[in-house]
Amino acid sequence: IESSIPIHGIGMQMHLVASAPIDFESMQENIQRFGDLGLEVQVSEMDVQIAGLSGTTEENLQTQKELYRKVVGTCRVEPNCDTVIFWGFTDKYSWIDDVYGPDDPLLFDENYLSKPAFDGVTQALKEGLSINDYATLFSFGGLPLSTEGAEPLDILSNIGFKLGYSEERADPIWTAYRI
């Protein structure tokens, strides 16, 4: 910026490990700091690994829900943070399993059913929205277009989301909107 090189925004990759401490105050301060420089911020590649937690499955899913809610809520309240991109849609096709071993890091389980994490995201997004707001709720990178007979995008469509697709990026992105 000081060198007059045009920078319009930054992406904050958000591959979280639930068993590691996360400093949300620092995250919000960084988003604000970038905003003070006139930059937009996008939370990108969000997923939350829970395999390393020692609680019951339900406790671990609640921890995951809270982490998703806090990240999305932090972005939601900062005017220069305009996008959250989830790095996948369903645990069935998560990259985490291939790299780190079995885990359930995403918003929908292997049967395409929403998990508590989905509720955490929607809670964070609903806070402060009016009935007339048309808000981007989800962006999914790496989403398979067809998955063994089940269409993830049909599932989103069936629960009230309008879908958009962008090929402007090297890795095309689906975006789901809800009124």
Side-chain angles (χ1 to χ4, degrees):
I1 293 175
E2 289 177 9
S3 300
S4 299
I5 298 170
I7 300 173
H8 304 288
I10 64 117
M12 298 176 77
Q13 286 191 11
M14 207 56 60
H15 299 292
L16 301 180
V17 177
S19 59
I22 299 158
D23 186 347
F24 289 101
E25 184 176 324
S26 177
M27 179 182 145
Q28 187 163 12
E29 288 170 359
N30 280 319
I31 292 171
Q32 290 170 349
R33 185 170 50 90
F34 289 122
D36 291 345
L37 295 171
L39 299 173
E40 294 178 11
V41 173
Q42 295 184 350
V43 173
S44 66
E45 302 185 23
M46 185 167 184
D47 47 41
V48 179
Q49 295 178 48
I50 58 172
L53 295 174
S54 60
T56 66
T57 298
E58 187 55 39
E59 290 169 339
N60 294 349
L61 291 173
Q62 289 302 314
T63 297
Q64 182 183 56
K65 171 187 176 178
E66 189 61 16
L67 292 173
Y68 270 104
R69 188 190 67 74
K70 285 182 177 179
V71 169
V72 173
T74 298
C75 181
R76 175 81 178 94
V77 299
E78 294 302 326
N80 63 310
C81 189
D82 62 1
T83 303
V84 175
I85 299 172
F86 301 99
W87 207 236
F89 173 81
T90 169
D91 294 334
K92 187 172 185 172
Y93 296 102
S94 171
W95 69 278
I96 302 246
D97 291 349
D98 294 333
V99 175
Y100 297 106
D103 207 328
D104 298 314
L106 299 169
L107 303 177
F108 291 82
D109 69 15
E110 293 189 3
N111 295 311
Y112 303 97
L113 299 174
S114 63
K115 294 171 23 187
F118 176 85
D119 298 330
V121 169
T122 57
Q123 283 174 352
L125 289 168
K126 287 179 181 177
E127 294 169 6
L129 287 179
S130 76
I131 193 79
N132 296 319
D133 284 338
Y134 189 77
T136 299
L137 291 190
F138 304 103
S139 292
F140 301 99
L143 178 63
L145 302 182
S146 178
T147 54
E148 299 171 16
E151 299 291 337
L153 299 175
D154 288 342
I155 293 168
L156 283 174
S157 182
N158 290 338
I159 59 174
F161 288 90
K162 178 182 175 186
L163 303 170
Y165 182 69
S166 171
E167 293 183 353
E168 295 174 7
R169 298 168 35 110
D171 55 337
I173 256 182
W174 284 95
T175 303
Y177 301 91
R178 191 174 201 174
I179 296 177

